[in-house]
Amino acid sequence: MVRTEPYGDWASPIDAALAASHDGRPEWVGFVGDEVWWTEPRPAEAGRRALVRRRSDGREESVLPAPWNVRSRVVEYGGRPWAGVSGPSGALVVFSDFADQRLYAYEPDVPGAVPVPLTPVTPVGGGLRWVDPQIRVDRGEVWCVLEEFLGEGPEDLRRVLAAVPLDGSAADDRGAVRDLSDGRHRFVTAPRVSPDGRLAAWIAWDHPRMPWDGTELLVADVAEGGTFEQARVVAGGPEEAIAQVEWAHDGGLLFASDRSGWWNLCRTEVGATGSGPGGSAVVTELCPRAEEFAGPLWQIGHRWFAPLENGTVAVVHGVGTTSLGVLDPETSDVVDVAGPWTAWSATLAAHGSRIVGTAASPRSAAEVVELDIRTGRTRVIGAAHDDPVDPAYYPEPQIRTFAGPLGRDIHAHIYPPHNPGFRGPDDALPPYVVWAHGGPTGHAALVLDLAIAYFTSRGIGVAEVNYGGSTGYGRAYRERLREQWGVVDVEDCAAVARALADEGTADPDRLAIRGGSAGGWTTAASLAATDVYACGTIIYPVLDLEGWATGETHDFESHYLESLVGPIAEVPGRYAERSPVAQAEHITAPFLLLQGLDDVICPPAQCERFLARMAGRRVPHAYLAFEGEGHGFRRADTMIRALEAELSLYAQVFGLRPPGIETLELSK
């Protein structure tokens, strides 16, 4: 029987421990010989990332035991942390370990083998960090991106393309690492080498641009000794963002560019110095469409497309949601794979006729999916989704477009309360929580998230807002946030919340907002700038723009505010006008503040400064700080505590009585 109970009081089998155990997704898929390998989260093992292989007989096994943690810290957000090849002794894998950030080589099929360090440790600042390794067996080296700290400050560093010997001779000798690029660019991606070995291509950019603002595509000759010579720009610029580059099997250069206003796939022909068109290369758009074939380069090694041996290209593409398809460059036709998936991640790999990626849907978490283009067969081959509860408890999302200020469209996913055993009273409307994603150049994907189901199955609705500035809808939509951070994102979230209340979907007196990182900023800024919300959950946030712009964050985003807010030297007033720290007197709604104490992107100092400004104002609030957590919670116990605290906040503010939830003490 379906019982009528107040919204928010429904009993649910989806508790915080269950949601935490299913947090994260498989990433960084690749082939080692015929085997498929990837990384996947282990929340119960202190949040480490395990390296997993799928044997030819279908068995999955972890390659390395705890505490090995296959994760890079380059630009703090990391990127592809491993590479592998198959040799006479079986698999050879090179990976970055999170604890010391050294590169290690490991041959798991050799009895008694253990990981062997390839790179040294230095005592300066953040040391040496490595990402997106490319194993060059022919040269006995690994080519990758090196991030080298030269001092103690977050910006005292250099990034270059580097070659690391596979024989371990650089394990205690920095001098044995060979620079490949000249270091003239602040940021670089790892080199992709042409099929004939004569050319290398990579992407580079400099402050104050972010990689979705403008990047350059460089090509260099690979000399006989393995050095890069005559590096030249063949595409890109300050207002063209190239997100990925790969060589086609016939030697053409493929890249994803937003020169048309959308990230579309392009091709150019590049020869060695003196034999090719160089900077005047003719660029052909292979499939010009008003949709995205790439995304923001938050991590080094993202791969939205993969060339195939038959000349076609595997592509992740779409508007808002994404599909996996196969593009024929000759006809511009794209044939999509069948299946329920609505979000494919930027981690494609191809081997022969096989394409592998990770994908999720509103009914399934991310899993490893393989397509064989010879047979057309698509199947899940790893990290297969297994319903931990009856799927009847999963929310049923609605893809909505709302009208915002000045008539602009706002994209959102609405998750109404849903529980097969309960319904709300006829004379009541449910509470809703607006979720603001991070980035802010990010995107809320249409996928199963048990953290959302944790609330919806208890009778609390969730609205994920892809506010102006989000990716997935073209460059113009992304640039709505230029110099408008704290304005457009706040307005768009409020517009969705008000619309849900006006149409009778949500209780106007029981609206909340929550978000992490940039979403934490939007949450705090919304509490300061509007009266829409009764409370908010602020998670590892930006709270003080001036502090963040003057050395309180990492190098990658240290100049990001120049585009999001404006140059601080020219518009210093904006930094105070929009910062929750400076506008704390306008915050009257209760809030929960969650922070990792090891966070170097949004450091605890920002929270402490904000709380000092709130002191004595008698606004109910709680501050939970977690040892051992950085930017993004990864440990199961942290996520359990955070979810239960968030639900308790809503219960106290909205007058709910969720069963089994300990009351969070709110201070004044």
Side-chain angles (χ1 to χ4, degrees), residues 208 481-485 545-546 549 558-576 578:
L481 210 56
R482 183 167 291 276
E483 298 197 5
Q484 295 298 308
W485 196 36
L545 294 178
E546 184 176 0
S558 60
H559 295 254
Y560 195 5
L561 297 185
E562 291 194 30
S563 60
L564 288 177
V565 182
I568 190 169
E570 298 175 15
V571 289
R574 280 186 203 161
Y575 284 67
R578 298 183 191 173

Side-chain angles (χ1 to χ4, degrees), residues 396-433:
E396 299 286 349
Q398 304 167 0
I399 301 176
R400 298 278 304 272
T401 301
F402 294 87
L406 304 176
R408 62 178 182 254
D409 289 343
I410 307 168
H411 302 289
H413 305 144
I414 307 303
Y415 296 85
H418 180 76
N419 186 313
F422 294 92
R423 65 185 298 273
D426 291 336
D427 60 351
L429 294 173
Y432 260 78
V433 183

